[in-house]
Amino acid sequence: MRLAALTAFGVFVLDQLTKWLVVWGLDLANRGAIDLVAPWLTFRMAWNRGINFGIGSSDQEIVRWGLVIVSLAISAWVWRWVWRSTPTRLARISGGLLIGGALGNVVDRVLYGAVADFLNMSCCGIENPYAFNVADIAIFAGAFGLVLFTRETKPEPEKPKGTPKRKPAERKANGSGRPGGGKTP
């Protein structure tokens, strides 16, 4: 539980810090774009009012608050799952990544009405029109990690009540290990 919380907190702080530094510190909100290592890495300002890649974008307040509620509900569900189950170490980290990223984007929606996306990567003559942020990376990595590192444990079947428990030595003493000495009627 502690590992998931520390991971979520770290991702949240890193996401908010990078957004503040790039969007406001470098004034990307007004400049629009800054080439770092063109074309591979560019800061390109994008206010995302929808989900990933701008899907479902809308200026309507109901969409904004609906996405906040959905993000909080998913975060709460993942938190509860990590708390109530016994996930692997990597699954706990993955849950923390997803929660921290989701909460980072929730803060943007509450404060600005949209998520501040600023990272843009292109390669090999293909220009990527989409921007993303640290929270988006964490959400994808966390979701992928939860799928990859979550193992399903099946409970052992319960024995019917009233069935006598025999010790292994008793089973060997009466023949084939079956009740009644292994003899068939």
Side-chain angles (χ1 to χ4, degrees), residues 2 11 15 40 48 50 83 88 90 114-115 122 131 154 167 173 177:
R2 182 173 172 219
V11 166
D15 175 63
W40 296 291
N48 186 354
W83 181 61
T88 64
L90 290 174
V115 174
S122 297
K154 296 180 183 177
K167 295 178 185 174

Side-chain angles (χ1 to χ4, degrees), residues 3 29 31 42 52 71 74 78 110 128 130 144 150 181:
L3 183 59
R31 293 172 70 178
T42 303
N52 292 341
S71 295
I74 290 171
V78 170
V110 170
N128 177 12
Y130 301 106
F144 183 72
T150 301

